[in-house]
Amino acid sequence: MRLTLRVWRQHDAGAPGAMVTYEIDRISEDMSFLEMLDTLNEELILRGDDPVAFDHDCREGICGACGVVINGDAHGPERTTTCQLHMRHFKDGDTIDVEPWRAGAFPVVKDLVVDRSAFDRIIGAGGYITAPTGSAPDAHATPVPKPDAEFAFEHAECIGCGACVAACPNGSAMLFTSAKINHLNVLPQGAPERETRVLDMVATMDEEGFGGCTLAGECATACPKGIPLPSITAMNKEWLRATRKAAR
């Protein structure tokens, strides 16, 4: 395939950025999107140009580091991570726009790389269990009802890629935060810190400058792991419950 790539180039967060056009050919439909970017960078390096900076790690759809906006869609035209998107979803002669996540809380580091450490700070505010557990308990020692277990597993699938923020017209992190809260709050191990967890994590999310949620639903549509939109409603219920309890 021969493609026209329009890629966002920006030296750092303080520098102006712009879309730069590149022509690239001999792209196999079996390549992943990141392999295609690798091919572009090889050509740029051979020409003595600065390669396009993009983030990645596992390339197996697990870590979420690879996220970029492709033709206006977070992770591209398929509901998957960018590293698992293959070039067979594009046609010979296509023009493809490649941009970083666009959110005030995700400043650009360089080109397609953004700083998502705001997510880490939200997790640090309560996305864990501090109760000492000693050695590993025997299997099934703590019974968990099947609906609760399924609910927890569903939300534990969040990989923190940030597609929900990139897709949201408000740049909201509600889907990410709700997944991390609901995953722990529904389990017996997370119960002792249930109220402080939701209050602290939501407060940190707001402090980081993410936008408010208006239930546009774009976050759930873009999520490569299928975190459902009602997750936000469940978190809001947890937050109201904790707020009322703290006010007593």
Side-chain angles (χ1 to χ4, degrees):
M1 284 191 295
R2 183 178 181 84
L3 302 167
T4 299
L5 301 178
R6 299 193 334 127
V7 182
W8 183 261
R9 303 303 308 267
Q10 184 174 349
H11 187 266
D12 56 50
M19 300 293 279
V20 178
T21 301
Y22 302 101
E23 301 290 337
I24 187 171
D25 59 8
R26 293 175 296 185
I27 297 300
S28 168
E29 65 176 14
D30 295 324
M31 283 183 176
S32 72
F33 199 86
L34 295 190
E35 288 173 322
M36 181 275 294
L37 291 179
D38 287 336
T39 301
L40 170 64
N41 279 345
E42 288 172 1
E43 294 185 5
L44 292 177
I45 291 169
L46 288 174
R47 297 203 308 246
D49 294 336
D50 190 26
V52 176
F54 62 93
D55 207 356
H56 65 96
D57 189 9
C58 71
R59 297 203 178 202
E60 294 179 351
I62 299 172
C63 72
C66 60
V68 295
V69 174
I70 303 168
N71 287 342
D73 294 323
H75 288 304
E78 295 293 307
R79 193 172 185 179
T80 186
T81 54
T82 301
C83 65
Q84 294 292 291
L85 177 68
H86 288 82
M87 298 310 296
R88 65 179 69 96
H89 297 292
F90 302 92
K91 301 188 299 293
D92 183 44
D94 275 356
T95 297
I96 305 174
D97 289 349
V98 190
E99 303 170 81
W101 288 164
R102 301 288 191 182
F106 290 162
V108 172
V109 176
K110 184 177 181 180
D111 297 338
L112 305 177
V113 180
V114 299
D115 179 1
R116 286 175 292 185
S117 60
F119 273 5
D120 296 331
R121 290 187 286 276
I122 292 173
I123 293 293
Y128 50 82
I129 292 171
T130 60
T133 59
S135 59
D138 293 334
H140 309 302
T142 304
V144 178
K146 190 172 188 296
D148 290 348
E150 291 176 346
F151 185 84
F153 274 122
E154 182 178 41
H155 290 83
E157 288 192 62
C158 172
I159 57 176
C161 66
C164 52
V165 178
C168 176
N170 306 320
S172 173
M174 289 285 276
L175 193 70
F176 165 80
T177 307
S178 66
K180 299 305 180 182
I181 289 171
N182 292 331
H183 163 215
L184 296 176
N185 275 18
V186 75
L187 296 174
Q189 295 88 340
E193 296 163 305
R194 184 170 182 168
E195 289 83 16
T196 56
R197 177 178 298 111
V198 66
L199 293 174
D200 292 345
M201 291 181 72
V202 169
T204 302
M205 176 189 69
D206 292 340
E207 291 167 4
E208 290 294 336
F210 291 102
C213 176
T214 54
L215 289 178
E218 296 298 324
C219 54
T221 300
C223 177
K225 297 303 178 181
I227 305 300
L229 190 62
S231 173
I232 295 174
T233 304
M235 182 187 73
N236 286 338
K237 289 179 179 178
E238 288 283 333
W239 185 86
L240 285 171
R241 174 177 173 271
T243 301
R244 289 168 180 166
K245 187 174 181 178
R248 289 174 188 167

